[in-house]
Amino acid sequence: MFVTGLAGGYSRLRMAFFYFYLYFMGRLFALLMGLSLSCMPAMTQTSYLSRPDLLEQVEAGLDHTYGFSFQEARIVQGKLAGLTPEHPAPVFLEALIIYWENFPLTPDDQESDLFIALMDRVVEMAEGYAEDERTHLEGIFFDLFGRALQAMFWADNGKPARLVPDLGAMYRHTKEGFDLKEDFVEFYFSTGLYNYYIEAYPEARPVYKPLVSFMESGNKELGLKQLEHAINNTVYLKVESLLFMSLIQLNYEDDLSSALYYMSILHGKYPKNIYYQGLLATILLHLHKYEDVSRLTEAMSSQKDAYSEMIRTMTEAYMAEHLALKTEKAKTGYLKTVALADSFGPMADIFKAIGYMGLSRIYEKKGLESDSKRYARRASNHTVYSFILDP
């Protein structure tokens, strides 16, 4: 793998770590817009800090967007654009609306071009702010936001090479924010996430330990405490703090009950968000809380999009296997889940893995070891979550 020598190997490790870092950190910046608006120093021109009415509109716009109330979100975004056309915030909010309205947004979607163009515009507008000493911090923030949401998009869609041009600037700007948490409480999220993952990630994947040795060490216990502090005290980053606490419990702490606790809070606030619905259904199924799953899928019955259909199909197959003991129905459902997930690419890998693992169990019960192992390998190629891969 490291045929280009030590320098080339280190470069690959560094890029791989940045890919991990952006994948887990990318969603931070989708909500940090609100933070920047609430914490910026006063400006000679448009100052959101001195305009509580604008701050309230931003918070409302974010809630509507994450809650899948896009008509209302666009009304708020339009008001902000009319009041502050020179500010990157309304442009960023417009891109965020496009991202969630078309979730899961993939490179094949026509709307992805507009999404990327808007984020490029955010970066362009941020440059002017960064050049002014009075607005330097805001410029750094929005430069980071515009790049990072694009990074999240490319990482989620399995195209890490598209991240390379922005990695240096993003990492520099992120490090600039490490010392700000005492002044701006929202930074407890990014600090907590770094403290946790800089230790947990190489522990789970030792190949990255040589890279981490060149970086500041972290503290997993402290990181979790800082994330909990963010959940309890932040405004704009509460959603992301809840999401990543749930993901950490799933992937690294192996604690599905804790993951359910955080995801239930998130789903309770945004019950129409199909991304959160899918994660909640996955956790409930693997805890065998089938009555709760049935209530969730019943609430989703009016949703006609293919992503929601995939979630419902997956849950029906899993319950057919474990609750109704209808093997053939489960097999049909798992095959359909895999087919539906395939249309979304890497964005739906977790559901494809659930489908493959279900097929593996079914073939194992039939005594078809070769087929069972084949599907188990496919499942492991699409997820790192051990609770899904357990037989």
Side-chain angles (χ1 to χ4, degrees), residues 37-38 46-62 75-77 79-84 93 236:
L37 300 180
S38 62
T46 307
S47 172
Y48 277 60
L49 180 61
S50 62
R51 294 283 302 275
D53 58 321
L54 295 182
L55 293 177
E56 290 177 3
Q57 290 294 312
V58 169
E59 187 172 4
L62 290 170
I75 291 173
V76 173
Q77 188 275 334
K79 289 180 180 178
L80 288 172
L83 290 168
T84 59
L93 185 56
Y236 299 104

Side-chain angles (χ1 to χ4, degrees), residues 22-292:
L22 293 175
Y23 182 81
F24 285 105
M25 291 289 285
R27 295 184 186 278
L28 156 68
F29 306 112
L31 281 181
L32 268 176
M33 175 184 70
L35 165 66
S36 69
L37 300 180
S38 62
C39 301
M40 293 304 112
M43 300 161 52
T44 55
Q45 295 183 342
T46 307
S47 172
Y48 277 60
L49 180 61
S50 62
R51 294 283 302 275
D53 58 321
L54 295 182
L55 293 177
E56 290 177 3
Q57 290 294 312
V58 169
E59 187 172 4
L62 290 170
D63 275 339
H64 288 314
T65 301
Y66 280 86
F68 278 42
S69 298
F70 300 114
Q71 182 176 353
E72 291 85 351
R74 281 199 166 83
I75 291 173
V76 173
Q77 188 275 334
K79 289 180 180 178
L80 288 172
L83 290 168
T84 59
E86 78 287 353
H87 202 286
V91 182
F92 187 91
L93 185 56
E94 182 181 358
L96 194 64
I97 292 169
I98 290 171
Y99 177 85
W100 281 107
E101 189 173 31
N102 296 280
F103 184 86
L105 187 66
T106 70
D108 293 335
D109 294 330
Q110 183 177 355
E111 293 82 1
S112 66
D113 291 337
L114 178 57
F115 167 78
I116 295 297
L118 287 169
M119 281 298 138
D120 285 340
R121 177 60 178 156
V122 170
V123 173
E124 180 183 347
M125 296 173 75
E127 290 177 357
Y129 276 67
E131 292 171 358
D132 191 324
E133 185 177 311
R134 295 165 298 183
T135 60
H136 178 68
L137 183 56
E138 188 167 9
I140 290 175
F141 275 139
F142 277 99
D143 185 280
L144 186 55
F145 306 152
R147 298 177 194 273
L149 196 57
Q150 289 188 61
M152 180 186 71
F153 169 76
W154 292 120
D156 282 349
N157 281 288
K159 296 183 180 295
R162 300 295 294 267
L163 312 181
V164 174
D166 292 322
L167 290 179
M170 291 180 64
Y171 190 63
R172 286 196 307 273
H173 292 331
T174 301
K175 288 188 67 176
E176 289 183 65
F178 287 169
D179 297 325
L180 299 177
K181 66 181 185 304
E182 299 304 326
D183 296 318
F184 311 134
V185 69
E186 276 79 2
F187 276 108
Y188 266 88
F189 171 72
S190 57
T191 304
L193 208 60
Y194 180 88
N195 269 326
Y196 187 85
Y197 276 112
I198 199 68
E199 298 295 327
Y201 194 81
E203 285 178 6
R205 299 162 182 81
V207 69
Y208 294 109
K209 286 185 178 180
L211 169 62
V212 172
S213 66
F214 291 92
M215 307 180 75
E216 287 187 36
S217 61
N219 182 312
K220 290 195 297 183
E221 183 178 355
L222 176 61
L224 291 177
K225 289 180 179 178
Q226 290 170 333
L227 283 173
E228 194 68 47
H229 187 80
I231 289 172
N232 294 326
N233 294 279
T234 60
V235 175
Y236 299 104
L237 291 177
K238 187 181 295 293
V239 171
E240 300 306 306
S241 300
L242 285 165
L243 173 62
F244 279 96
M245 276 294 278
S246 184
L247 295 178
I248 285 172
Q249 301 304 318
L250 285 179
N251 195 8
Y252 293 94
E253 297 297 311
D254 196 23
D255 187 342
L256 267 68
S257 294
S258 292
L260 176 61
Y261 169 77
Y262 293 110
M263 187 52 62
S264 295
I265 296 173
L266 194 55
H267 174 259
K269 187 173 183 180
Y270 303 113
K272 295 181 181 179
N273 189 302
I274 59 177
Y275 177 56
Y276 305 149
Q277 289 172 345
L279 289 176
L280 179 60
T282 297
I283 297 170
L284 289 171
L285 285 173
H286 288 83
L287 285 172
H288 308 300
K289 294 182 177 291
Y290 300 125
E291 291 185 4
D292 292 334

